[in-house]
């Protein structure tokens, strides 16, 4: 990577400047406390789902194994941005190194890409459970579930690898100020010394595909699910069928609504404030809300979480305070 400074720049600057959320010092401290709480709650919520699935034998099924992997993904997804954002709240210089910026760039988009694939696989699982209930055990075997999980992780982390390596080798000049709280492709590419149409074309072509293809697959799956549910004669049967996919639909709606507003709008230009708010929603708030959605709408998950928390509380409440 080649770095060119303008005459006004300090020669000691070794990275990009993430402006984050400019406000007085008191506001920065308040934001630090707020996002620290959100981060801890996200870790606790998703971690509880992983532990509940791990320790409750009734949840050792493909649906909950996929959910546990999804919760594990959400932990790393929020970790790719929030710790650095928290550090910037208490920092005066708000500098992120070039290697740190592109690592964040890579992990944030790779994890987001993996999330899209997981949402599609979870929709496929719900389709089989509702539309092919008799064949479900024979089709969604443990081996197939494992293969789908591994495929989501591998494909998600390979998708943006080459474009990001190419971008990281480009030359950057100017102030190197990014008016965002993370290394987003738009602000980063705007700091290159010269435009490279081929790279921009490759990135603009590859970026939407992990969003559009899984989204179309999810919509197709739920169109078939809806048709199957409407053919169920009893109202109780229809409610039960809808309840098995309601949580997943809610998560898909939250994630895709914000992501499509950000990256799927006809114009690629957004005000910096709008970029930050929308990105904040799908990168921080959605991982926080997902455990709440799944635990509130799923009776088996709710019971497993209550059992896990009860065991945890009982174990540590009886632990002696002294020697």
């Amino acid at each position: 990577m080649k770095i060119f400074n303008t005459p006004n720049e300090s020669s000691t600057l070794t990275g990009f400047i993430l402006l984050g959320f400019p406000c007085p010092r008191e506001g920065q401290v308040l934001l630090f406390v707020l996002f620290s709480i959100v981060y801890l709650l996200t870790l606790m919520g998703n971690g509880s789902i992983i532990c509940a699935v791990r320790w409750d034998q009734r949840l050792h099924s493909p649906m909950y194994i996929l959910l546990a992997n999804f919760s594990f993904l959400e932990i790393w997804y929020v970790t790719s941005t929030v710790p650095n954002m928290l550090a910037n709240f208490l920092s005066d210089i708000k500098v992120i190194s070039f290697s740190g910026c592109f690592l964040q760039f890579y992990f944030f988009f790779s994890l987001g890409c993996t999330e899209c694939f997981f949402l599609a696989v979870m929709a496929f699982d719900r389709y089989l459970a509702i539309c092919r209930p008799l064949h479900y055990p024979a089709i969604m075997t443990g081996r197939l579930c494992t293969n789908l999980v591994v495929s989501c992780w591998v494909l998600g982390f390979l998708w943006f690898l080459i474009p990001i390596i190419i971008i990281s080798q480009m030359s950057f000049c100017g102030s190197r100020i990014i008016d965002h709280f993370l290394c987003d492709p738009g602000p980063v590419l705007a700091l290159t010394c010269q435009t490279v149409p081929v790279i921009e074309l490759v990135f603009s072509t590859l970026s939407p595909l992990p969003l559009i293809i899984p989204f179309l697959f999810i919509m197709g799956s739920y169109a078939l699910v809806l048709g199957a549910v409407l053919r169920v004669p009893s109202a109780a049967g229809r409610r039960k069928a809808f309840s098995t996919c309601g949580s997943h639909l809610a998560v898909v709606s939250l994630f895709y609504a914000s992501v499509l507003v950000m990256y799927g709008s006809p114009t690629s230009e957004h005000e910096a404030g709008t970029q930050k708010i929308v990105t904040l929603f799908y990168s921080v708030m959605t991982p926080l809300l997902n455990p709440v959605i799944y635990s509130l709408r799923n009776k088996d998950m709710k019971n497993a979480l209550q059992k896990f928390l009860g065991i945890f509380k009982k174990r540590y409440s009886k632990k002696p305070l002294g020697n």
Side-chain angles (χ1 to χ4, degrees), residues 5 19 30 33 36 64 70 72 89 91-92 102 117 124 132 147-149 159 183 203 243 256 261 265 270 312:
N5 294 327
L19 291 185
L30 180 61
V33 173
S36 294
Y64 294 107
F70 187 74
F72 181 74
F89 284 140
S91 173
D92 293 326
F102 286 102
F117 293 139
F124 174 66
R132 299 288 186 272
N147 289 338
L148 290 173
V149 167
W159 195 272
C183 290
F203 197 85
S243 67
Y256 269 101
V261 166
S265 59
H270 295 275
F312 182 84

Side-chain angles (χ1 to χ4, degrees), residues 25-39 82-83 85-91:
R25 182 66 176 178
E26 294 78 9
Q28 296 284 314
V29 174
L30 180 61
L31 289 173
F32 173 83
V33 173
L34 175 62
F35 282 104
S36 294
I37 295 173
V38 169
Y39 182 54
V82 172
M85 182 169 62
L86 293 176
N88 278 353
F89 284 140
L90 302 181
S91 173

Side-chain angles (χ1 to χ4, degrees), residues 164-302:
I164 289 178
I165 290 176
I166 294 174
I167 294 173
S168 68
Q169 300 304 310
M170 297 174 66
S171 301
F172 294 87
C173 53
S175 63
R176 300 203 299 272
I177 295 176
I178 299 176
D179 191 4
H180 213 307
F181 63 87
L182 55 81
C183 290
D184 200 56
V188 171
L189 288 173
L191 297 178
T192 56
C193 296
Q194 58 183 359
T195 60
V196 183
V198 175
I199 294 178
E200 293 182 356
L201 178 62
V202 170
F203 197 85
S204 62
T205 302
L206 289 178
S207 297
L209 293 181
L211 293 173
I212 296 173
I213 295 176
F215 180 72
L216 294 176
F217 183 85
I218 292 169
M219 292 299 100
S221 298
Y222 277 110
L224 296 174
V225 167
L226 180 61
V229 170
L230 293 178
R231 290 193 294 270
V232 175
S234 66
R238 288 194 295 270
R239 284 195 298 270
K240 183 178 180 181
F242 274 124
S243 67
T244 62
C245 54
S247 300
H248 182 253
L249 270 176
V251 171
V252 168
S253 300
L254 282 173
F255 180 77
Y256 269 101
S258 54
V259 170
L260 290 177
V261 166
M262 187 69 205
Y263 298 105
S265 59
T267 58
S268 59
E269 296 295 330
H270 295 275
E271 292 184 359
T274 304
Q275 285 185 342
K276 295 176 189 178
I277 293 173
V278 176
T279 306
L280 195 66
F281 186 82
Y282 72 76
S283 65
V284 179
M285 297 309 299
T286 301
L288 172 67
L289 296 174
N290 286 350
V292 178
I293 294 171
Y294 278 110
S295 61
L296 288 180
R297 294 189 58 90
N298 189 298
K299 184 182 295 185
D300 291 336
M301 179 56 65
K302 188 187 301 184

